[in-house]
């Protein structure tokens, strides 16, 4: 089972396939009497692309905006709700035009819902297309392409004078900003424990440790549950 998150939104239907391209920056040159050589350089930016289904009607297999399957929602006695394709497309447009990177998170679980691995990458949305066809019915097919984002910034020099009267320059060190993890987190909607931990901490919490701390034996938590995180 795969779960795809773009920023704080989960895609309702996981794409059937995904392509990850690691761009090469190596350079090939020809040397006199030596022939062709390969100059190894750092890899380029990674690109991720996939095509996702955007439903415009109810499907029991789809995971809508509250992040929990409609089957579980029905068991809890609640009425399943649908988030229509246009709502997701509006969100994609904000990511495209917002001029800010965001998190692409892909979580992988086996059939027993045991955690396998995840991809957590800072990206930009390079392009997306909306396809409508009688083949898709009322649903939309949306091919999307993302590119890895590497933070960068200009360096600020601080000039000081040492004991010999000489001016010395050093680069000012800035402390990285991280999301502070609260002591407790109240779940706002039915969701998986993994998703609740991600929303509370930005991805720094181990959801298995939180499950053990709170005596939770499955991966689903209901709206209103208060999780102890520390």
């Amino acid at each position: 089972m795969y779960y795809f998150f773009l920023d704080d939104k989960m895609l309702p239907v996981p794409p059937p396939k995904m392509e990850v391209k690691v761009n090469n920056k190596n350079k090939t040159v020809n040397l006199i009497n030596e022939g062709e050589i390969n100059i190894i350089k750092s890899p380029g930016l990674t690109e991720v692309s996939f095509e996702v289904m955007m439903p415009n009607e109810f499907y029991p297999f789809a995971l809508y905006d509250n992040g929990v399957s409609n089957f579980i929602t029905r068991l809890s006695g609640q009425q399943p709700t649908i988030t229509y394709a246009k709502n997701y497309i509006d969100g994609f447009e904000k990511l495209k035009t917002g001029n800010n990177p965001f998190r692409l998170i892909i979580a992988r679980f086996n059939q027993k819902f045991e955690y396998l691995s995840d991809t957590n990458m800072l990206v930009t949305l390079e392009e997306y297309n909306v396809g409508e066809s009688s083949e898709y019915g009322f649903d939309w097919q949306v091919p999307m392409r993302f590119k890895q984002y590497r933070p960068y910034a200009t360096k600020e020099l601080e000039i000081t004078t040492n004991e010999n009267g000489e001016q010395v320059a050093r680069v000012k060190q800035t402390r990285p900003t991280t999301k502070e993890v609260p002591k407790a987190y109240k779940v706002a909607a039915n969701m998986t424990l993994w998703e609740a931990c991600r929303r509370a901490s930005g991805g720094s919490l181990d959801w298995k440790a939180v499950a053990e701390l709170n005596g939770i034996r499955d991966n689903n938590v209901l709206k209103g549950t208060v999780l102890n995180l520390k």
Side-chain angles (χ1 to χ4, degrees):
M1 293 182 287
Y2 284 64
Y3 296 86
F4 283 68
F5 293 87
L6 305 184
D7 199 20
D8 62 345
K9 295 293 184 182
M10 182 171 66
L11 296 181
V13 181
K17 60 181 180 179
M18 174 181 65
E19 180 180 349
V20 179
K21 180 182 178 183
V22 181
N23 290 307
N24 183 28
K25 300 292 286 186
N26 294 347
K27 185 177 181 180
T28 302
V29 297
N30 285 297
L31 299 181
I32 299 176
N33 299 327
E34 295 292 338
E36 193 175 63
I37 65 168
N38 189 18
I39 299 176
I40 300 176
K41 295 187 176 183
S42 300
L45 298 175
T46 299
E47 294 186 8
V48 179
S49 58
F50 50 76
E51 184 171 322
V52 62
M53 169 188 172
M54 293 282 103
N56 270 316
E57 54 184 311
F58 172 77
Y59 294 105
F61 56 82
L63 302 174
Y64 295 102
D65 190 55
N66 60 4
V68 68
S69 72
N70 289 280
F71 176 73
I72 297 175
T73 304
R74 284 179 170 180
L75 288 180
S76 66
Q78 301 182 37
Q79 180 66 29
T81 57
I82 301 175
T83 303
Y84 292 101
K86 185 180 183 304
N87 297 89
Y88 291 100
I89 299 302
D90 290 344
F92 298 161
E93 184 63 19
K94 289 180 180 179
L95 293 177
K96 183 71 178 69
T97 60
N99 296 324
N100 288 307
F102 57 92
R103 288 284 171 185
L104 169 63
I105 301 177
I106 305 165
R108 304 169 183 87
F109 297 83
N110 63 18
Q111 293 182 343
K112 296 181 180 179
F113 216 84
E114 296 171 335
Y115 170 79
L116 297 176
S117 65
D118 66 74
T119 299
N120 189 331
M121 185 184 303
L122 199 60
V123 298
T124 55
L125 176 54
E126 295 298 297
E127 60 181 358
Y128 70 92
N129 301 298
V130 179
E132 296 184 65
S133 169
S134 59
E135 179 184 355
Y136 311 142
F138 294 106
D139 305 320
W140 299 351
Q141 292 293 127
V142 183
M144 311 184 74
R145 183 170 65 88
F146 307 85
K147 181 174 285 188
Q148 179 186 13
Y149 179 85
R150 291 177 182 165
Y152 66 93
T154 56
K155 294 182 178 180
E156 184 178 355
L157 292 179
E158 183 178 36
I159 308 297
T160 59
T161 303
N162 62 21
E163 58 185 9
N164 297 322
E166 301 171 334
Q167 289 189 326
V168 180
R170 68 177 183 86
V171 177
K172 282 188 176 181
Q173 300 294 328
T174 57
R175 299 178 61 183
T177 58
T178 58
K179 184 174 182 178
E180 184 178 353
V181 179
K183 293 183 179 180
Y185 176 74
K186 186 175 182 179
V187 179
N190 293 345
M191 64 182 66
T192 64
L193 178 59
W194 183 89
E195 183 184 2
C197 292
R198 183 187 63 82
R199 292 190 179 187
S201 67
S204 63
L205 276 176
D206 181 356
W207 70 273
K208 292 184 179 180
V210 174
E212 182 177 353
L213 178 64
N214 290 270
I216 298 175
R217 297 187 177 276
D218 57 35
N219 193 39
N220 298 305
V221 288
L222 298 179
K223 178 180 178 180
T225 302
V226 177
L227 296 173
N228 293 318
L229 304 180
K230 294 183 179 180

